[in-house]
DNA sequence: AAAAAAC
């Protein structure tokens, strides 16, 4: 079975072969022929199965006939997060390079005007997160009654995020003569109800679930005390011990505040780290993600915004700085590594108070996770506000304790001096935005170019790996100037301010 | 108990 057996147009086939693909994945082989015939499709598939191309390719073929009218997009794709939406846009650019299509990306956190101009011009493809889409519609800038194909992606995640009422509203705005392509990794009852309501005689395409926690992932628990400084130290030691195997890593935290704290602490300790969470400026989010993908950052500290769906090929390690409270999140998080049958490692830092969450995870995956270096029986957890030892008279070693003291001191200072710093932040915001903007555009262009250069090679992972620049190693001293990894000369505002509590 | 998503 090759792509040319599926009924796709020559333009699409040529872009697919330029991208280096010859053989469709099961979900693509199952969904594309039906989608091309105009049938509704219910695709049950996880990310990493080639799901995105399974709707992008037939849509491109179908869009070759006809033209978009102002404010009346011809197709609509709904995604739960901004990054996923941007990722789908990149797919349309990559596979639609032989088409002259107008693509509009409607996501929050970025300016309205540019999006509005694209709508005005007439969009063949509209990719959106629900909030911003409804916002445009309420402003009367968008008509949905010309939509011929509707895609609802990651439906179960939309459910988790409380988007279902929005999705229902949007579905009701679109003529029932449309074609609907509906994707979900799982089928909880609410989702089944939704499909019964909005799909007409769908063709069901289900791809076998990749083993819930793939065998290619080595999983370990790592004991730690419960103090933030203890956990940070545990993490640093772990990263250093793994250095030889560690190509790049995502480090998950449960809270956004923790993401920013850990991120700044890692920078202070000379780790080549970026951060990603939902309270960050959108431009910084995109840039961090792109820099991590391109190998310009070795570590990405992230909230669960990065746990699902993001296409980050070939992450060698996942660290859970916090044990996820929902057991399924554990599966999603560690699923960021060990992709495409590669070996991956995951380490979950656990304290005594995490025991019940660890138990729940082990129940879900149906196995005990081994301890990396002894279990929690030797760890004592002190309650109350006892601080790490730094007695007044005792001589203080330079090094860890000293630096952690600096961590805390800075946070305290930030909290108290926020008002004083505000003018400085305001003054610097503009140039930061400009620099970030240029960097982002460059990064995106690079990303697209490197995708296009993959011709002939079926293996993007290796190619990326080879092209990867020499990275900074932890412990190496860095010049003041490049302390703000990935941001040129300026420090973005979110790094200066302690995240909102 | 937290994250995500609109201003």
């Amino acid at each position: 079975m090759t792509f040319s057996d599926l009924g796709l147009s020559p333009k699409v086939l040529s872009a697919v072969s330029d991208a280096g693909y010859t053989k469709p994945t099961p979900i693509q082989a199952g969904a594309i022929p039906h989608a091309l015939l105009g049938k509704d499709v219910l695709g049950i598939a996880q990310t990493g199965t080639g799901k995105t191309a399974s709707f992008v390719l037939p849509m491109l073929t179908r869009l070759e006939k006809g033209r978009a009218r102002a404010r009346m997009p011809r197709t609509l794709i709904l995604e739960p997060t901004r990054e996923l939406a941007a990722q789908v846009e990149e797919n349309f650019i990559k596979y639609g390079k032989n088409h002259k299509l107008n693509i509009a990306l409607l996501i929050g956190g970025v300016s309205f005007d540019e999006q509005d101009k694209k709508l005005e011009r007439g969009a063949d493809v509209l990719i959106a997160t629900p909030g911003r889409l409804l916002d445009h519609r309420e402003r009367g800038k968008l008509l949905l009654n010309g939509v011929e194909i509707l895609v609802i992606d990651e439906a179960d995640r939309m459910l988790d995020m409380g988007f279902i009422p929005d999705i229902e509203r949007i579905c009701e705005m679109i003529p029932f003569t449309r074609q609907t392509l509906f994707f979900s990794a799982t089928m909880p009852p609410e989702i089944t109800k939704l499909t019964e309501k909005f799909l007409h005689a769908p063709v069901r395409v289900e791809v076998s679930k990749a083993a819930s926690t793939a065998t290619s992932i080595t999983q370990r628990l790592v004991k730690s005390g419960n103090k933030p400084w203890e956990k940070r130290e545990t993490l640093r030691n772990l990263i250093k011990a793994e250095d030889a195997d560690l190509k790049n890593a995502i480090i998950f935290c449960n809270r956004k505040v923790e993401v920013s704290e850990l991120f700044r602490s890692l920078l202070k300790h000379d780790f080549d780290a970026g951060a990603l969470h939902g309270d960050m400026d959108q431009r910084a989010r995109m840039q961090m993600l792109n820099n991590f993908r391109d190998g310009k950052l070795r570590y990405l500290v992230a909230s669960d915004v990065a746990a699902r769906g993001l296409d980050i090929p070939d992450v060698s390690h996942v660290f859970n700085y916090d044990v996820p409270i929902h057991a399924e999140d554990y599966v999603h998080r560690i699923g960021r590594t060990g992709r495409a049958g590669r070996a991956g490692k995951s380490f979950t830092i656990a304290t005594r108070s995490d025991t019940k969450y660890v138990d729940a995870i082990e129940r879900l995956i149906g196995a005990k996770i081994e301890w990396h270096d002894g279990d929690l029986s030797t760890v004592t957890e002190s309650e109350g506000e006892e601080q790490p030892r730094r007695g007044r008279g005792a001589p203080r070693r330079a090094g860890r304790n000293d630096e952690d003291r600096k961590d805390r001191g800075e946070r305290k200072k930030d909290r108290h001096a926020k008002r004083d710093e505000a003018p400085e932040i305001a003054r610097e915001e503009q140039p930061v935005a400009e620099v970030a903007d240029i960097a982002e555009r460059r990064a995106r262009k690079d990303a697209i170019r490197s995708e296009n250069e993959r011709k002939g090679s079926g293996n993007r992972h290796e190619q990326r790996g080879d092209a990867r620049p020499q990275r900074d190693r932890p412990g190496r001293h860095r010049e003041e100037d490049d302390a703000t990894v990935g941001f040129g000369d300026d420090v973005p505002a979110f790094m200066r301010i302690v995240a909102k509590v």
Side-chain angles (χ1 to χ4, degrees), chain A residues 28 47 49-57 79 87-88 91 153:
Chain A
Q28 291 160 0
T47 35
T49 54
K51 179 180 54 128
T52 307
S54 77
F55 60 83
V56 171
L57 304 181
E79 294 288 335
Q87 201 169 283
V88 171
N91 271 266
D153 197 14

Side-chain angles (χ1 to χ4, degrees), chain A residues 267-279:
Chain A
L267 284 189
K268 212 163 283 179
H269 287 270
D270 272 338
F271 288 89
D272 185 9
L276 186 68
H277 68 70
D279 277 355

Side-chain angles (χ1 to χ4, degrees), chain A residues 25-31 41-55 152-157 182-187 191 204-210 308-309 332 336 339:
Chain A
T25 65
I27 182 86
Q28 291 160 0
V41 172
L42 169 57
I44 303 168
Q46 251 123 359
T47 35
T49 54
K51 179 180 54 128
T52 307
S54 77
F55 60 83
I152 297 166
D153 197 14
E154 303 265 331
D156 51 350
R157 192 159 178 215
F182 190 105
F183 295 89
S184 191
T186 58
M187 290 298 288
I191 296 297
R204 188 182 166 110
V205 183
E206 190 162 1
V207 297
S208 60
K209 208 158 108 187
R308 303 198 207 178
H332 290 296
R336 300 295 97 201
R339 313 247 291 175

